[in-house]
Structure formats: C-alpha cells, structure tokens
Amino acid sequence: MSAQAQSSVLRELQKAHGKILDVSRYIIPRDDLAIAYATVNSTDQKGVAIARGTSVGFGVDEPIVRTLLTVRRFDPSIRSAACIRYEDDILQTTIETLRDVEVYDPEKYPVGISTMDWGIASICRKGVPLAIACAESSRGPGRIYLLGTTPDEVANRILIISQRLTYIDI
C-alpha cells in the first residue's frame, strides 16, 4: 500500500469524521463513534483506517474493522463502515430511513465460530445491505453497522438518522 493511497484514505476519513462530530449523543455507543475506511485492496487491519474520538490511524483491531473486512469479502466495493448505538427506536429509524437493513441474533451463533463474523457473513451471503444490526447480548453491546462505498456516504447516513431521531423526540 503506497503512502499516497494511505494519505488519500486518511484525508477522506478525517473529512467524514468531522461531519459527524455534532450528531446526537444518543446514537453514539459507549466507546464512542467509530468510522472506518479501507484502502482499495485491503485484506487485513493494516489496510483499514479508523477514526474514533480524536484518534485516526491504520492497523487497529476493532470490531468495526473486522466487520468491514468481513463485508468486503462479499462486496469489495464497500469500503467504509461506522457503528452507532443499538436501541429499538434507533433501529426503527434506521430501517425507515435506509430500508435495506438486516438484523441478526448473536445468541444463535454456531459453537466455535466468532459471533460477529458469523452474523455479518450469514447476512452478506444473501447480498450486502446498507446496515446490519446486532442486539446486545452476553457477548457484547448492541450495534448498528452502517455500510457504504465512502466514509462521506456513511457519515451522511449517520447525520440523517441522527436528525430524524431529534425530530421524533421533540
């Protein structure tokens, strides 16, 4: 991976991350909002940059990175992902907004298989949706993973969902 490719990915990721800094705190997971962007030929975490809080960098082993790499096995054009908090009203707003949303139950995974990889892969076998939701379980907190070709596309989806939730609460 060239320095130019890395620089381009980081620039696009930082631009998108800046757009979502003021979203509703309600949709932000406990461990902060993360957005990831993969280089064109990424096959492992070294090819995926992540922005979380004030840090941005490559090679971080985070659930959002593993999710993005799993999705890319089924659709390499998907290069960006972000995770927002899982709550019933956030999920409902995401479904109403994006329509193409799939949900999996992490408690129903086969023994010996990573829950997330199994859940993400089982959904993507039928085609990659715009969002994948996983409810909270004994294995971890609930998440809604928003997917897209660019971090700007994913950031715009986060903004739309955040704004719709704000209007619902008024």
mmCIF file of all heavy atoms in Angstrom, residues 38-76:
data_model
loop_
_atom_site.group_PDB
_atom_site.id
_atom_site.type_symbol
_atom_site.label_atom_id
_atom_site.label_comp_id
_atom_site.label_asym_id
_atom_site.label_seq_id
_atom_site.Cartn_x
_atom_site.Cartn_y
_atom_site.Cartn_z
ATOM 1 N N ALA A 38 -11.439 1.584 4.216
ATOM 2 C CA ALA A 38 -10.426 0.646 3.737
ATOM 3 C C ALA A 38 -9.781 1.142 2.449
ATOM 4 O O ALA A 38 -10.427 1.785 1.623
ATOM 5 C CB ALA A 38 -11.068 -0.720 3.487
ATOM 6 N N THR A 39 -8.509 0.805 2.288
ATOM 7 C CA THR A 39 -7.860 1.060 1.009
ATOM 8 C C THR A 39 -8.471 0.102 -0.015
ATOM 9 O O THR A 39 -9.124 -0.878 0.344
ATOM 10 C CB THR A 39 -6.337 0.839 1.106
ATOM 11 O OG1 THR A 39 -6.100 -0.499 1.541
ATOM 12 C CG2 THR A 39 -5.691 1.830 2.049
ATOM 13 N N VAL A 40 -8.248 0.379 -1.274
ATOM 14 C CA VAL A 40 -8.881 -0.399 -2.347
ATOM 15 C C VAL A 40 -8.604 -1.896 -2.226
ATOM 16 O O VAL A 40 -9.506 -2.709 -2.397
ATOM 17 C CB VAL A 40 -8.432 0.124 -3.735
ATOM 18 C CG1 VAL A 40 -8.971 -0.753 -4.845
ATOM 19 C CG2 VAL A 40 -8.880 1.559 -3.928
ATOM 20 N N ASN A 41 -7.379 -2.272 -1.921
ATOM 21 C CA ASN A 41 -7.011 -3.693 -1.898
ATOM 22 C C ASN A 41 -6.804 -4.249 -0.496
ATOM 23 O O ASN A 41 -6.073 -5.222 -0.324
ATOM 24 C CB ASN A 41 -5.734 -3.902 -2.721
ATOM 25 C CG ASN A 41 -5.941 -3.554 -4.174
ATOM 26 O OD1 ASN A 41 -6.977 -3.876 -4.753
ATOM 27 N ND2 ASN A 41 -4.983 -2.861 -4.764
ATOM 28 N N SER A 42 -7.436 -3.669 0.500
ATOM 29 C CA SER A 42 -7.214 -4.115 1.879
ATOM 30 C C SER A 42 -7.699 -5.541 2.092
ATOM 31 O O SER A 42 -8.748 -5.940 1.603
ATOM 32 C CB SER A 42 -7.909 -3.179 2.859
ATOM 33 O OG SER A 42 -9.295 -3.242 2.664
ATOM 34 N N THR A 43 -6.890 -6.303 2.817
ATOM 35 C CA THR A 43 -7.265 -7.674 3.167
ATOM 36 C C THR A 43 -7.130 -7.928 4.662
ATOM 37 O O THR A 43 -7.548 -8.957 5.151
ATOM 38 C CB THR A 43 -6.383 -8.699 2.421
ATOM 39 O OG1 THR A 43 -5.015 -8.427 2.727
ATOM 40 C CG2 THR A 43 -6.616 -8.630 0.914
ATOM 41 N N ASP A 44 -6.519 -6.976 5.362
ATOM 42 C CA ASP A 44 -6.375 -7.119 6.807
ATOM 43 C C ASP A 44 -6.440 -5.742 7.459
ATOM 44 O O ASP A 44 -6.593 -4.730 6.781
ATOM 45 C CB ASP A 44 -5.083 -7.855 7.184
ATOM 46 C CG ASP A 44 -3.827 -7.131 6.732
ATOM 47 O OD1 ASP A 44 -3.876 -5.912 6.448
ATOM 48 O OD2 ASP A 44 -2.772 -7.783 6.660
ATOM 49 N N GLN A 45 -6.317 -5.709 8.777
ATOM 50 C CA GLN A 45 -6.491 -4.456 9.518
ATOM 51 C C GLN A 45 -5.448 -3.400 9.157
ATOM 52 O O GLN A 45 -5.685 -2.217 9.343
ATOM 53 C CB GLN A 45 -6.484 -4.720 11.016
ATOM 54 C CG GLN A 45 -5.147 -5.184 11.559
ATOM 55 C CD GLN A 45 -5.249 -5.685 12.972
ATOM 56 O OE1 GLN A 45 -6.295 -6.201 13.371
ATOM 57 N NE2 GLN A 45 -4.189 -5.550 13.738
ATOM 58 N N LYS A 46 -4.325 -3.794 8.598
ATOM 59 C CA LYS A 46 -3.311 -2.814 8.194
ATOM 60 C C LYS A 46 -3.778 -1.944 7.033
ATOM 61 O O LYS A 46 -3.238 -0.872 6.808
ATOM 62 C CB LYS A 46 -2.015 -3.524 7.822
ATOM 63 C CG LYS A 46 -1.340 -4.198 8.984
ATOM 64 C CD LYS A 46 -0.119 -4.964 8.538
ATOM 65 C CE LYS A 46 0.394 -5.811 9.687
ATOM 66 N NZ LYS A 46 1.373 -6.775 9.226
ATOM 67 N N GLY A 47 -4.775 -2.409 6.305
ATOM 68 C CA GLY A 47 -5.295 -1.659 5.168
ATOM 69 C C GLY A 47 -6.561 -0.884 5.482
ATOM 70 O O GLY A 47 -7.222 -0.368 4.582
ATOM 71 N N VAL A 48 -6.933 -0.824 6.757
ATOM 72 C CA VAL A 48 -8.158 -0.124 7.156
ATOM 73 C C VAL A 48 -7.812 0.961 8.171
ATOM 74 O O VAL A 48 -7.187 0.684 9.195
ATOM 75 C CB VAL A 48 -9.194 -1.090 7.774
ATOM 76 C CG1 VAL A 48 -10.454 -0.351 8.177
ATOM 77 C CG2 VAL A 48 -9.534 -2.219 6.805
ATOM 78 N N ALA A 49 -8.234 2.179 7.870
ATOM 79 C CA ALA A 49 -8.045 3.291 8.806
ATOM 80 C C ALA A 49 -9.321 3.467 9.609
ATOM 81 O O ALA A 49 -10.427 3.224 9.105
ATOM 82 C CB ALA A 49 -7.720 4.573 8.043
ATOM 83 N N ILE A 50 -9.169 3.886 10.840
ATOM 84 C CA ILE A 50 -10.325 4.108 11.709
ATOM 85 C C ILE A 50 -10.179 5.459 12.404
ATOM 86 O O ILE A 50 -9.077 5.849 12.783
ATOM 87 C CB ILE A 50 -10.475 2.966 12.745
ATOM 88 C CG1 ILE A 50 -11.721 3.162 13.602
ATOM 89 C CG2 ILE A 50 -9.243 2.817 13.582
ATOM 90 C CD1 ILE A 50 -12.070 1.991 14.483
ATOM 91 N N ALA A 51 -11.299 6.138 12.531
ATOM 92 C CA ALA A 51 -11.353 7.393 13.291
ATOM 93 C C ALA A 51 -12.317 7.178 14.454
ATOM 94 O O ALA A 51 -13.466 6.788 14.261
ATOM 95 C CB ALA A 51 -11.832 8.540 12.412
ATOM 96 N N ARG A 52 -11.812 7.395 15.657
ATOM 97 C CA ARG A 52 -12.628 7.266 16.870
ATOM 98 C C ARG A 52 -12.170 8.362 17.814
ATOM 99 O O ARG A 52 -10.992 8.448 18.130
ATOM 100 C CB ARG A 52 -12.450 5.906 17.520
ATOM 101 C CG ARG A 52 -13.228 5.782 18.835
ATOM 102 C CD ARG A 52 -12.918 4.515 19.589
ATOM 103 N NE ARG A 52 -13.188 3.289 18.878
ATOM 104 C CZ ARG A 52 -14.403 2.722 18.774
ATOM 105 N NH1 ARG A 52 -15.435 3.292 19.343
ATOM 106 N NH2 ARG A 52 -14.560 1.602 18.125
ATOM 107 N N GLY A 53 -13.120 9.177 18.244
ATOM 108 C CA GLY A 53 -12.761 10.276 19.135
ATOM 109 C C GLY A 53 -11.795 11.220 18.443
ATOM 110 O O GLY A 53 -12.069 11.723 17.369
ATOM 111 N N THR A 54 -10.626 11.400 19.037
ATOM 112 C CA THR A 54 -9.633 12.302 18.449
ATOM 113 C C THR A 54 -8.506 11.552 17.741
ATOM 114 O O THR A 54 -7.574 12.173 17.245
ATOM 115 C CB THR A 54 -9.018 13.203 19.538
ATOM 116 O OG1 THR A 54 -8.418 12.366 20.534
ATOM 117 C CG2 THR A 54 -10.055 14.115 20.150
ATOM 118 N N SER A 55 -8.580 10.227 17.694
ATOM 119 C CA SER A 55 -7.502 9.470 17.056
ATOM 120 C C SER A 55 -7.916 8.931 15.684
ATOM 121 O O SER A 55 -9.066 8.562 15.471
ATOM 122 C CB SER A 55 -7.038 8.324 17.953
ATOM 123 O OG SER A 55 -8.064 7.385 18.105
ATOM 124 N N VAL A 56 -6.952 8.904 14.783
ATOM 125 C CA VAL A 56 -7.148 8.380 13.433
ATOM 126 C C VAL A 56 -5.902 7.591 13.080
ATOM 127 O O VAL A 56 -4.783 8.063 13.302
ATOM 128 C CB VAL A 56 -7.337 9.518 12.406
ATOM 129 C CG1 VAL A 56 -7.494 8.967 11.008
ATOM 130 C CG2 VAL A 56 -8.514 10.391 12.768
ATOM 131 N N GLY A 57 -6.071 6.371 12.557
ATOM 132 C CA GLY A 57 -4.897 5.610 12.165
ATOM 133 C C GLY A 57 -5.220 4.271 11.555
ATOM 134 O O GLY A 57 -6.367 3.822 11.572
ATOM 135 N N PHE A 58 -4.203 3.636 11.022
ATOM 136 C CA PHE A 58 -4.303 2.311 10.401
ATOM 137 C C PHE A 58 -3.919 1.219 11.387
ATOM 138 O O PHE A 58 -3.212 1.466 12.354
ATOM 139 C CB PHE A 58 -3.346 2.227 9.203
ATOM 140 C CG PHE A 58 -3.860 2.875 7.957
ATOM 141 C CD1 PHE A 58 -3.569 4.196 7.690
ATOM 142 C CD2 PHE A 58 -4.620 2.157 7.057
ATOM 143 C CE1 PHE A 58 -4.021 4.797 6.534
ATOM 144 C CE2 PHE A 58 -5.080 2.754 5.896
ATOM 145 C CZ PHE A 58 -4.786 4.083 5.629
ATOM 146 N N GLY A 59 -4.367 -0.006 11.116
ATOM 147 C CA GLY A 59 -3.898 -1.179 11.824
ATOM 148 C C GLY A 59 -4.490 -1.417 13.191
ATOM 149 O O GLY A 59 -3.912 -2.126 13.994
ATOM 150 N N VAL A 60 -5.651 -0.860 13.458
ATOM 151 C CA VAL A 60 -6.285 -1.019 14.764
ATOM 152 C C VAL A 60 -7.240 -2.224 14.719
ATOM 153 O O VAL A 60 -8.040 -2.350 13.806
ATOM 154 C CB VAL A 60 -7.070 0.255 15.151
ATOM 155 C CG1 VAL A 60 -7.726 0.090 16.499
ATOM 156 C CG2 VAL A 60 -6.154 1.462 15.133
ATOM 157 N N ASP A 61 -7.139 -3.095 15.703
ATOM 158 C CA ASP A 61 -8.023 -4.256 15.775
ATOM 159 C C ASP A 61 -9.259 -3.878 16.572
ATOM 160 O O ASP A 61 -9.253 -3.902 17.792
ATOM 161 C CB ASP A 61 -7.300 -5.432 16.431
ATOM 162 C CG ASP A 61 -8.158 -6.681 16.467
ATOM 163 O OD1 ASP A 61 -9.128 -6.775 15.678
ATOM 164 O OD2 ASP A 61 -7.881 -7.572 17.282
ATOM 165 N N GLU A 62 -10.298 -3.486 15.864
ATOM 166 C CA GLU A 62 -11.551 -3.071 16.485
ATOM 167 C C GLU A 62 -12.700 -3.811 15.801
ATOM 168 O O GLU A 62 -12.578 -4.205 14.643
ATOM 169 C CB GLU A 62 -11.757 -1.566 16.303
ATOM 170 C CG GLU A 62 -10.728 -0.727 16.999
ATOM 171 C CD GLU A 62 -11.380 0.261 17.942
ATOM 172 O OE1 GLU A 62 -12.605 0.238 18.123
ATOM 173 O OE2 GLU A 62 -10.629 1.065 18.512
ATOM 174 N N PRO A 63 -13.832 -3.965 16.491
ATOM 175 C CA PRO A 63 -14.970 -4.633 15.861
ATOM 176 C C PRO A 63 -15.396 -4.013 14.526
ATOM 177 O O PRO A 63 -15.730 -4.736 13.596
ATOM 178 C CB PRO A 63 -16.081 -4.498 16.908
ATOM 179 C CG PRO A 63 -15.352 -4.412 18.206
ATOM 180 C CD PRO A 63 -14.089 -3.651 17.895
ATOM 181 N N ILE A 64 -15.340 -2.686 14.407
ATOM 182 C CA ILE A 64 -15.756 -2.042 13.165
ATOM 183 C C ILE A 64 -14.827 -2.446 12.014
ATOM 184 O O ILE A 64 -15.261 -2.635 10.884
ATOM 185 C CB ILE A 64 -15.850 -0.507 13.323
ATOM 186 C CG1 ILE A 64 -16.508 0.128 12.096
ATOM 187 C CG2 ILE A 64 -14.500 0.120 13.566
ATOM 188 C CD1 ILE A 64 -17.949 -0.188 11.940
ATOM 189 N N VAL A 65 -13.553 -2.621 12.302
ATOM 190 C CA VAL A 65 -12.588 -3.036 11.275
ATOM 191 C C VAL A 65 -12.871 -4.470 10.854
ATOM 192 O O VAL A 65 -12.913 -4.786 9.659
ATOM 193 C CB VAL A 65 -11.135 -2.868 11.778
ATOM 194 C CG1 VAL A 65 -10.135 -3.452 10.789
ATOM 195 C CG2 VAL A 65 -10.839 -1.400 12.055
ATOM 196 N N ARG A 66 -13.087 -5.358 11.816
ATOM 197 C CA ARG A 66 -13.388 -6.752 11.495
ATOM 198 C C ARG A 66 -14.700 -6.863 10.716
ATOM 199 O O ARG A 66 -14.819 -7.664 9.794
ATOM 200 C CB ARG A 66 -13.421 -7.587 12.773
ATOM 201 C CG ARG A 66 -12.039 -7.732 13.405
ATOM 202 C CD ARG A 66 -12.010 -8.732 14.551
ATOM 203 N NE ARG A 66 -12.908 -8.412 15.656
ATOM 204 C CZ ARG A 66 -12.585 -7.659 16.703
ATOM 205 N NH1 ARG A 66 -11.397 -7.114 16.781
ATOM 206 N NH2 ARG A 66 -13.451 -7.448 17.658
ATOM 207 N N THR A 67 -15.670 -6.029 11.080
ATOM 208 C CA THR A 67 -16.945 -6.019 10.356
ATOM 209 C C THR A 67 -16.719 -5.609 8.909
ATOM 210 O O THR A 67 -17.206 -6.267 7.979
ATOM 211 C CB THR A 67 -17.939 -5.045 11.029
ATOM 212 O OG1 THR A 67 -18.218 -5.519 12.339
ATOM 213 C CG2 THR A 67 -19.230 -4.944 10.236
ATOM 214 N N LEU A 68 -15.990 -4.524 8.705
ATOM 215 C CA LEU A 68 -15.737 -4.036 7.351
ATOM 216 C C LEU A 68 -14.986 -5.077 6.519
ATOM 217 O O LEU A 68 -15.335 -5.319 5.356
ATOM 218 C CB LEU A 68 -14.967 -2.710 7.393
ATOM 219 C CG LEU A 68 -14.678 -2.051 6.055
ATOM 220 C CD1 LEU A 68 -15.954 -1.829 5.241
ATOM 221 C CD2 LEU A 68 -13.951 -0.725 6.272
ATOM 222 N N LEU A 69 -13.986 -5.714 7.087
ATOM 223 C CA LEU A 69 -13.238 -6.729 6.347
ATOM 224 C C LEU A 69 -14.115 -7.925 5.990
ATOM 225 O O LEU A 69 -14.002 -8.491 4.895
ATOM 226 C CB LEU A 69 -12.010 -7.173 7.147
ATOM 227 C CG LEU A 69 -10.901 -6.126 7.255
ATOM 228 C CD1 LEU A 69 -9.836 -6.578 8.264
ATOM 229 C CD2 LEU A 69 -10.279 -5.832 5.895
ATOM 230 N N THR A 70 -15.013 -8.311 6.878
ATOM 231 C CA THR A 70 -15.934 -9.407 6.580
ATOM 232 C C THR A 70 -16.876 -9.023 5.448
ATOM 233 O O THR A 70 -17.090 -9.795 4.509
ATOM 234 C CB THR A 70 -16.740 -9.801 7.840
ATOM 235 O OG1 THR A 70 -15.838 -10.192 8.869
ATOM 236 C CG2 THR A 70 -17.713 -10.932 7.547
ATOM 237 N N VAL A 71 -17.433 -7.830 5.499
ATOM 238 C CA VAL A 71 -18.350 -7.357 4.444
ATOM 239 C C VAL A 71 -17.628 -7.304 3.103
ATOM 240 O O VAL A 71 -18.189 -7.694 2.075
ATOM 241 C CB VAL A 71 -18.926 -5.970 4.821
ATOM 242 C CG1 VAL A 71 -19.636 -5.330 3.650
ATOM 243 C CG2 VAL A 71 -19.867 -6.095 6.012
ATOM 244 N N ARG A 72 -16.387 -6.851 3.107
ATOM 245 C CA ARG A 72 -15.632 -6.723 1.857
ATOM 246 C C ARG A 72 -15.377 -8.064 1.179
ATOM 247 O O ARG A 72 -15.177 -8.119 -0.026
ATOM 248 C CB ARG A 72 -14.313 -5.990 2.104
ATOM 249 C CG ARG A 72 -14.532 -4.496 2.327
ATOM 250 C CD ARG A 72 -13.241 -3.738 2.521
ATOM 251 N NE ARG A 72 -12.219 -3.978 1.511
ATOM 252 C CZ ARG A 72 -12.198 -3.428 0.302
ATOM 253 N NH1 ARG A 72 -13.159 -2.616 -0.066
ATOM 254 N NH2 ARG A 72 -11.212 -3.706 -0.540
ATOM 255 N N ARG A 73 -15.412 -9.145 1.929
ATOM 256 C CA ARG A 73 -15.283 -10.476 1.305
ATOM 257 C C ARG A 73 -16.451 -10.748 0.360
ATOM 258 O O ARG A 73 -16.314 -11.474 -0.610
ATOM 259 C CB ARG A 73 -15.242 -11.571 2.362
ATOM 260 C CG ARG A 73 -13.936 -11.647 3.097
ATOM 261 C CD ARG A 73 -13.924 -12.863 3.998
ATOM 262 N NE ARG A 73 -13.398 -12.445 5.291
ATOM 263 C CZ ARG A 73 -13.727 -12.961 6.445
ATOM 264 N NH1 ARG A 73 -14.615 -13.923 6.513
ATOM 265 N NH2 ARG A 73 -13.206 -12.527 7.552
ATOM 266 N N PHE A 74 -17.586 -10.176 0.656
ATOM 267 C CA PHE A 74 -18.782 -10.387 -0.154
ATOM 268 C C PHE A 74 -19.018 -9.274 -1.176
ATOM 269 O O PHE A 74 -19.635 -9.500 -2.211
ATOM 270 C CB PHE A 74 -20.008 -10.522 0.761
ATOM 271 C CG PHE A 74 -19.916 -11.718 1.658
ATOM 272 C CD1 PHE A 74 -19.364 -11.615 2.929
ATOM 273 C CD2 PHE A 74 -20.337 -12.955 1.223
ATOM 274 C CE1 PHE A 74 -19.253 -12.720 3.751
ATOM 275 C CE2 PHE A 74 -20.238 -14.074 2.029
ATOM 276 C CZ PHE A 74 -19.689 -13.954 3.300
ATOM 277 N N ASP A 75 -18.551 -8.054 -0.870
ATOM 278 C CA ASP A 75 -18.703 -6.924 -1.787
ATOM 279 C C ASP A 75 -17.519 -5.971 -1.602
ATOM 280 O O ASP A 75 -17.545 -5.099 -0.736
ATOM 281 C CB ASP A 75 -20.021 -6.188 -1.538
ATOM 282 C CG ASP A 75 -20.292 -5.092 -2.546
ATOM 283 O OD1 ASP A 75 -19.385 -4.753 -3.346
ATOM 284 O OD2 ASP A 75 -21.415 -4.556 -2.541
ATOM 285 N N PRO A 76 -16.480 -6.124 -2.425
ATOM 286 C CA PRO A 76 -15.288 -5.285 -2.294
ATOM 287 C C PRO A 76 -15.527 -3.796 -2.544
ATOM 288 O O PRO A 76 -14.691 -2.974 -2.181
ATOM 289 C CB PRO A 76 -14.323 -5.855 -3.341
ATOM 290 C CG PRO A 76 -14.842 -7.200 -3.675
ATOM 291 C CD PRO A 76 -16.315 -7.168 -3.427
#
